[in-house]
Amino acid sequence: MLLAIDCGNTNTVFSIWNGEEFIAQWRTATEWQRTADQYYVWLSTLMKIQNIDVEIDEVIVSSTVPRVVFNLRVLSDRYFNTRPLVVGKPECALPAPPRVDEGTQVGPDRLVNAAGAFDRHGGDLIVVDFGTATTFDVVASDGAYVGGVIAPGVNLSLEALHAAAAALPHVDISKPQKVVGTNTVECMQSGVFWGYIGLVREICDRIKAERGVPMKVISTGGLAPLFQQSATLFDAFDEDLTIHGLTVIHKFNKDLS
């Protein structure tokens, strides 16, 4: 049984894959101080609560927080008696290696998104991931990651606005009923929501023009469902794209061995 771990800047997702489907998935805050023992107590407790009695004998990890990887390696070794496959490390092969500037280190999450998106949607894609940062991953016709764009995340922008302007409150992002707000909260929500709609549309249009080929735009990430309400912006929403990409990369490496 495979344990797939997707560690982002804000949250970490643990998923159990039986070879055909995910039988369980849990989310926890990303904290680099958390030890392997703490991870195991948390994970084993949740498995017991949900009556999941399986033997985990394979682990794959994608982490945008390097300091977390050590304890996830210890977790895998100590409690599951297996060496984890870590995306971005030399021992982890990719179905299609990235084509970027020499010496560039591509974020593991972007490599995983490319693998998962190509497996489900084919090539010539733009994957828009609404996470701590809003990233645009360009996937070529053969499935290779060939570059992208990084913009501040939606919640990060709201936090910065609140922190830098003393008179502006902290607000939750939602789709406003109208563009012109008649109070401070509505004004901020409209600026962020429609501002990001414009940002995504403009960047995707420029990517398509630069690539010169028809491209599908796939959205994923925590806030993707909110922006999916703009029907003309995306061709598809893929909720578990990143975690699916981990299973694709794991299978590729297993087939090589």
Side-chain angles (χ1 to χ4, degrees):
M1 202 72 69
L2 173 67
L3 176 63
I5 305 174
D6 170 31
C7 178
N9 291 296
T10 304
N11 293 313
T12 300
V13 177
F14 289 72
S15 300
I16 298 178
W17 173 256
N18 66 4
E20 296 181 356
E21 63 181 354
F22 290 108
I23 62 173
Q25 187 170 109
W26 304 283
R27 184 180 299 267
T28 185
T30 299
E31 296 178 0
W32 68 266
Q33 304 96 328
R34 187 169 292 162
T35 67
D37 301 328
Q38 288 174 311
Y39 277 122
Y40 182 72
V41 169
W42 172 80
L43 186 61
S44 59
T45 300
L46 288 171
M47 291 175 66
K48 185 176 181 180
I49 289 173
Q50 297 187 19
N51 295 316
I52 297 174
D53 184 16
V54 297
E55 181 180 349
I56 294 171
D57 54 9
E58 296 176 295
V59 179
I60 184 169
V61 177
S62 167
S63 178
T64 59
V65 185
R67 298 177 76 178
V68 172
V69 175
F70 173 77
N71 283 317
L72 293 176
R73 284 186 183 274
V74 175
L75 167 72
S76 179
D77 179 64
R78 180 178 298 167
Y79 291 103
F80 306 127
N81 195 32
T82 185
R83 180 180 176 84
L85 194 62
V86 180
V87 179
K89 299 299 182 182
E91 64 271 18
C92 180
L94 298 171
R99 294 194 292 274
V100 294
D101 293 345
E102 186 176 351
T104 299
Q105 188 171 6
V106 181
D109 55 328
R110 311 188 80 175
L111 298 174
V112 172
N113 278 349
F118 181 73
D119 183 68
R120 282 182 169 171
H121 305 282
D124 291 322
L125 305 173
I126 303 170
V127 180
V128 185
D129 191 341
F130 292 93
T132 304
T134 300
T135 59
F136 299 73
D137 303 324
V138 180
V139 183
S141 58
D142 63 349
Y145 170 86
V146 293
V149 177
I150 301 175
V154 179
N155 285 321
L156 194 63
S157 296
L158 279 171
E159 289 292 340
L161 193 60
H162 169 64
L168 296 180
H170 175 79
V171 300
D172 293 325
I173 181 64
S174 63
K175 183 180 181 180
Q177 296 299 312
K178 52 188 179 181
V179 175
V180 180
T182 52
N183 58 63
T184 302
V185 171
E186 287 182 355
C187 289
M188 292 175 66
Q189 289 176 332
S190 183
V192 171
F193 181 84
W194 293 113
Y196 269 84
I197 290 290
L199 179 146
V200 171
R201 180 176 288 116
E202 180 69 13
I203 288 178
C204 287
D205 285 349
R206 287 182 175 272
I207 291 173
K208 291 175 182 177
E210 189 171 287
R211 297 288 293 173
V213 294
M215 303 183 77
K216 289 184 287 186
V217 182
I218 312 300
S219 69
T220 190
L223 286 175
L226 173 66
F227 292 97
Q228 190 66 25
Q229 297 178 54
S230 178
T232 61
L233 206 56
F234 304 106
D235 295 293
F237 164 58
D238 203 326
E239 181 178 14
D240 64 344
L241 178 64
T242 307
I243 209 76
H244 172 69
L246 283 172
T247 68
V248 172
I249 293 174
H250 175 265
K251 183 179 185 302
F252 180 76
N253 281 266
K254 196 170 182 179
D255 290 345
L256 288 178
S257 59

